């Protein structure tokens, strides 16, 4: 993806801060999916899809699966299909065009098809998104920064914000990209029929991280570890009183214990966990092709320690020798590698990936 600023500038001045219009970020871009294929996916019961339209000033939303006649509605409607990268290798490979951001921050690719004049209304999202124009043209209006205090209009399951005075607007053509940070109001209106790819990111909740770090430490802390008073009793308290020093002493004890017992493993587990069971069981016996790559839905992350690599696959942890690093990086970059070579030189990694059903040998791109 070609950005109009350097990667360093993007990461320091734009990412999670302000929107960025990137004309012809993907020159000569050809939409990997057609409107008909997208409609086909929206007819499947296990694929998450929605249709949104406005009628007499009221917003409507209906969830899929849809029957053929649903696409004949007269009002300008938008069809949105979530996680299309799971089902379509061409769409899945779009993630490899993103600027160098941690792989574990990526969530999925939502694809929308909008009829002329359709849009999903003015709103803000909680996550970062790169909006890539696939076919047709779309006008994106960018509004103010919003948060939980911003008044929202709830209509048929949609959270909309009152029409805003757009601070800026851009007309996107195929291959153009608009980066929108969390909280920034936006509203896209199709100028003719249009397909838009939303390359969306995810972020773990701080509450989840806190809970998991604490749980991990609680498993290790001896029950005999008791609060020591240290210097906290040096200034006397009144009968029955809790002083600032008492609380500060307890906080210090907790923080010190958390730091001392923290291996950091909880982090890799949390960020690679999905919402439920991983949906790509791909038994090793089924891998017949010469080349393998990561299954598009595999959540994987790793960290290098002195003489070992911690690998996290769909929330599970394993350790592999350092010599697997090259293969690991290649796989995480979306590359295909020879199955025999992977199994031969990075045996433990290969086994762990097979056990997790994390590999595929089908290149449908
Ligand atoms: C769309 O593609 O119509 C909606 C994407 C968004 O606003 O996040
Ligand atoms: Co949005």
């Amino acid at each position: 993806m070609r950005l109009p600023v350097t990667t360093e500038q993007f990461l320091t001045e734009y990412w999670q801060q302000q929107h960025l219009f990137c004309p012809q970020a993907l020159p000569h871009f050809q939409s990997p999916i057609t409107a008909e294929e997208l409609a086909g996916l929206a007819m499947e019961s296990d694929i998450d899809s929605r249709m949104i339209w406005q009628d007499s000033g009221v917003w409507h939303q209906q969830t899929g699966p849809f029957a053929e006649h649903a696409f004949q509605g007269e009002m300008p409607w938008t069809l949105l299909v979530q996680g299309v990268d799971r089902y379509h290798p061409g769409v899945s490979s779009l993630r490899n065009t993103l600027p160098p951001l941690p792989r574990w921050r990526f969530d999925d690719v939502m694809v929308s098809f909008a009829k002329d004049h359709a849009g999903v209304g003015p709103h803000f999202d909680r996550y970062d998104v790169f909006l890539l124009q696939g076919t047709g043209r779309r006008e994106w209006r960018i509004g103010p920064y919003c948060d939980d205090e911003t008044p929202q209009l709830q209509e048929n399951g949609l959270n909309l914000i009152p029409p805003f005075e757009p601070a800026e607007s851009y007309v996107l053509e195929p291959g153009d990209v608009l980066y929108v940070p969390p909280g920034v109001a936006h509203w896209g209106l199709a100028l003719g029929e249009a397909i838009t790819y939303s390359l969306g990111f995810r972020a773990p909740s701080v509450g989840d991280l806190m809970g998991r770090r604490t749980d991990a430490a609680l498993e290790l802390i001896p029950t005999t570890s008791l609060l020591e008073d240290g210097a906290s009793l040096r200034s006397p308290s009144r009968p029955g009183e809790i002083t600032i020093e008492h609380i500060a002493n307890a906080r210090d004890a907790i923080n010190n214990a958390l730091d001392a017992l923290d291996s950091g493993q909880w982090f890799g587990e949390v960020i690679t966990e999905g919402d439920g069971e991983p949906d790509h069981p791909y038994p090793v016996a089924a891998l017949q092709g010469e080349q393998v790559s990561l299954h598009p839905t595999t959540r994987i992350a790793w960290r290098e320690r002195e003489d070992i690599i911690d690998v996290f696959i769909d929330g599970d942890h394993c350790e592999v020798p350092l010599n697997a690093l090259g293969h690991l990086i290649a796989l995480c970059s979306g590359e295909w590698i020879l199955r025999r070579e992977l199994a031969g030189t990075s045996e433990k990694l290969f086994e762990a990936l097979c056990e997790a059903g994390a590999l595929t040998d089908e290149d449908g791109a």
Side-chain angles (χ1 to χ4, degrees):
M1 188 174 285
R2 212 167 57 186
L3 303 180
V5 295
T6 63
T7 304
E8 197 186 10
Q9 250 179 319
F10 176 71
L11 294 175
T12 52
E13 293 170 29
Y14 293 89
W15 179 249
Q16 302 224 293
Q17 296 164 65
Q18 52 175 325
H19 71 277
L20 180 66
F21 175 49
C22 314
Q24 288 306 284
L26 296 177
H28 316 294
F29 183 66
Q30 297 270 340
S31 176
I33 199 167
T34 62
E36 290 71 29
E37 283 176 286
L38 193 66
L41 291 178
M43 293 164 123
E44 307 270 343
S45 59
D46 54 348
I47 296 182
D48 194 0
S49 61
R50 294 177 291 152
M51 278 179 89
I52 295 173
W53 68 96
Q54 200 184 17
D55 192 358
S56 314
V58 181
W59 288 95
H60 296 266
Q61 168 168 243
Q62 198 185 327
T63 50
F66 295 100
E68 188 99 40
H69 62 79
F71 307 121
Q72 260 102 58
E74 275 178 18
M75 293 299 150
W77 50 263
T78 305
L79 168 69
L80 303 116
V81 184
Q82 209 67 46
V84 177
D85 48 326
R86 291 160 187 242
Y87 314 105
H88 196 291
V91 174
S92 165
S93 60
L94 289 177
R95 78 152 67 183
N96 301 325
T97 67
L98 285 165
L101 294 153
R103 184 191 155 96
W104 55 264
R105 287 280 274 108
F106 184 78
D107 187 13
D108 74 348
V109 185
M110 180 181 81
V111 185
S112 71
F113 169 78
K115 299 289 278 182
D116 186 22
H117 284 97
V120 303
H123 67 279
F124 68 95
D125 300 307
R126 295 189 186 274
Y127 301 102
D128 307 84
V129 66
F130 288 86
L131 299 161
L132 161 66
Q133 195 60 29
T135 63
R137 294 188 314 143
R138 191 157 197 172
E139 182 190 324
W140 283 99
R141 299 171 182 173
I142 299 288
Y145 179 80
C146 306
D147 57 22
D148 289 338
E149 309 299 312
T150 307
Q152 293 195 55
L153 173 74
Q154 276 159 6
E155 228 166 66
N156 292 314
L158 291 165
N159 284 331
L160 301 164
I161 49 178
F164 53 79
E165 235 353 271
E168 269 159 287
S169 75
Y170 306 90
V171 174
L172 267 66
E173 313 240 351
D176 291 348
V177 166
L178 180 64
Y179 163 68
V180 184
V184 170
H186 53 283
W187 185 7
L189 282 166
L191 308 173
E193 296 187 344
I195 290 181
T196 300
Y197 294 84
S198 296
L199 284 83
F201 284 72
R202 73 202 297 251
S205 82
V206 177
D208 278 350
L209 293 173
M210 196 192 284
R212 292 290 287 274
R213 182 177 185 230
T214 310
D215 287 348
L218 282 175
E219 277 185 23
L220 298 173
I221 196 159
T223 46
T224 50
S225 167
L226 302 180
L227 184 66
E228 291 173 9
D229 298 319
S232 70
L233 304 191
R234 279 188 201 152
S235 36
S237 53
R238 290 165 288 189
E241 186 183 13
I242 297 171
T243 66
I244 290 170
E245 287 78 15
H246 296 165
I247 298 174
N249 180 52
R251 280 201 185 114
D252 286 348
I254 295 168
N255 291 338
N256 292 341
L258 281 174
D259 285 346
L261 299 169
D262 187 355
S263 70
Q265 193 172 309
W266 50 274
F267 184 75
E269 289 169 0
V270 174
I271 60 163
T272 57
E273 268 168 13
D275 301 333
E277 279 296 297
D279 52 353
H280 52 84
Y282 208 90
V284 61
L287 287 173
Q288 300 299 333
E290 271 192 19
Q291 309 228 65
V292 288
S293 97
L294 281 182
H295 194 281
T297 61
T298 301
R299 294 203 183 281
I300 187 167
W302 57 269
R303 70 167 171 169
E304 191 177 341
R305 280 196 282 142
E306 288 101 60
D307 53 354
I308 211 96
I309 311 169
D310 285 315
V311 181
F312 302 91
I313 311 169
D314 295 319
D316 287 328
H317 166 249
C318 68
E319 291 179 352
V320 306
L322 270 186
N323 69 357
L325 194 56
H327 280 145
L328 195 50
I329 292 175
L331 287 169
C332 289
S333 313
E335 287 176 26
W336 288 84
I337 47 186
L338 284 171
R339 180 165 54 99
R340 234 185 266 149
E341 192 194 301
L342 178 64
T345 48
S346 305
E347 194 185 346
K348 268 204 107 178
L349 175 63
F350 180 68
E351 278 171 13
L353 290 166
C354 288
E355 202 178 310
L359 293 173
T360 180
D361 60 357
E362 284 170 12
D363 183 7

